[in-house]
Amino acid sequence: MIMALDHQILMNSLGGDGPWSFDLRDQVTSTSDLAKAAGANGAPHGLVICAEEQTAGRGQRSNRWVTPRGNDLMFSLLLRPQLPVELWPRLTTLAAVAVCRAIEATIPSEAGIKWPNDIYLRGKKVSGLLAETAFGGSGGFVVLGVGINVNTTEFPGELQTVATSLRLELGPTNHHPVPREPLMAVFLNALDEFMEEAWEHRFPDLLMEVRRRSVLVGKNIRAVVDGRPANGRVRDLNHEGHLILERVDGTTEVLTSAAEVRVTT
């Protein structure tokens, strides 16, 4: 039987004096909507809103992300970065590495990053991120939505071949749910460390890890950018973590975001 998130276990798993405070809910429409409203009302940096069930969560490009009750991790962070706004987009990169490290601390599997905001295990999506910047209340803030498939073992039809979970990756001989609190704690501690040390001065070092984990670098892809197709070979990531795409004619384009990114070969 899968239990609801336990606040005391979360705090014990964090084991430090980080900025995090928790608002644990049962069912919500969207944790990110709640975090955005809290930010507009002046809530402080470090608020974490979690839900056991989410009925109208958003992924990239407003895709719906609906989760079954009690199986997975679905939460949103309210962050007030003390850095210039132009550096805030780096947060998605920091969070992607933090998710990878949390997964690898939990199960014996290597996590990859599919630019711009998806985490993969053995070719299947296990996690997604969505960072949204807003202004209001006591200034600007970022809402970071995080979804990690932890204990779901059955996905609806079209997702069966493209989605996975930590529990599925442990194989059919595993009959126990994966504890969610320690997984979440590793992610939050890693993200806190990155925001303190790697957001600015150590960002190039972190990008080296992102390149190593990339499932797109060196591959041919097709994507949609501002409603138009963008096809070519991924040469690298630039100094901000943006995708460098080489077209068939040899010209290059730097993509800061894209939708429907697919590997072709």
Side-chain angles (χ1 to χ4, degrees):
M1 179 179 178
I2 296 175
M3 305 294 292
L5 285 170
D6 186 291
H7 181 268
Q8 190 58 54
I9 295 176
L10 266 174
M11 297 306 295
N12 292 342
S13 299
L14 283 167
D17 298 321
W20 312 115
S21 61
F22 295 92
D23 180 356
L24 306 182
R25 306 286 187 102
D26 181 34
Q27 183 187 78
V28 302
T29 52
S30 164
T31 57
S32 287
D33 285 348
L34 293 175
K36 191 175 294 186
N41 289 325
H45 171 82
L47 175 65
V48 185
I49 300 179
C50 313
E52 292 299 334
E53 183 177 16
Q54 186 171 234
T55 60
R58 292 189 306 281
Q60 191 185 22
R61 308 293 174 184
S62 297
N63 294 326
R64 292 188 70 210
W65 190 314
V66 180
T67 54
R69 182 183 300 272
N71 279 336
D72 303 318
L73 280 175
M74 199 63 49
F75 57 96
S76 294
L77 314 180
L78 172 60
L79 305 172
R80 297 188 181 276
Q82 300 301 306
L83 287 170
V85 174
E86 56 265 26
L87 294 181
W88 290 10
R90 293 180 174 185
L91 178 62
T92 300
T93 299
L94 303 182
V97 175
V99 170
C100 288
R101 293 191 183 184
I103 289 172
E104 291 172 358
T106 306
I107 65 171
S109 187
E110 185 173 351
I113 298 173
K114 182 185 176 187
W115 180 92
N117 53 7
D118 290 337
I119 310 302
Y120 272 58
L121 290 174
R122 295 197 303 172
K124 293 185 177 183
K125 182 175 176 179
V126 71
S127 174
L129 307 164
L130 181 64
E132 301 173 281
T133 300
F135 295 87
S138 56
F141 58 91
V142 178
V143 170
L144 176 66
V146 182
I148 305 175
N149 298 332
V150 183
N151 287 303
T152 292
T153 56
E154 295 182 1
F155 292 94
E158 71 279 6
L159 295 181
Q160 290 180 8
T161 59
V162 297
T164 189
S165 70
L166 273 65
R167 186 169 180 177
L168 284 175
E169 291 301 309
L170 287 173
T173 60
N174 173 67
H175 302 296
H176 303 286
V178 175
R180 294 180 294 162
E181 292 89 349
L183 171 68
M184 188 173 181
V186 174
F187 166 77
L188 292 173
N189 281 335
L191 185 63
D192 187 32
E193 176 190 343
F194 293 160
M195 288 191 295
E196 289 288 335
E197 301 179 5
W199 199 318
E200 191 169 14
H201 303 297
R202 284 184 50 213
F203 192 70
D205 294 334
L206 206 66
L207 274 180
M208 293 179 63
E209 180 172 342
V210 175
R211 289 187 179 97
R212 177 178 62 81
R213 293 184 180 276
S214 174
V215 302
L216 296 182
V217 171
K219 302 292 180 60
N220 291 317
I221 68 164
R222 65 174 185 269
V224 176
V225 178
D226 297 328
R228 63 174 176 81
N231 304 327
R233 179 178 177 273
V234 178
R235 285 183 53 184
D236 200 354
L237 302 175
N238 75 359
H239 65 285
E240 288 295 332
H242 302 150
L243 207 70
I244 302 175
L245 186 70
E246 182 178 15
R247 302 187 188 93
V248 175
D249 62 7
T251 60
T252 60
E253 178 181 7
V254 176
L255 306 184
T256 59
S257 65
E260 301 176 31
V261 180
R262 301 286 187 272
V263 173
T264 56
T265 55

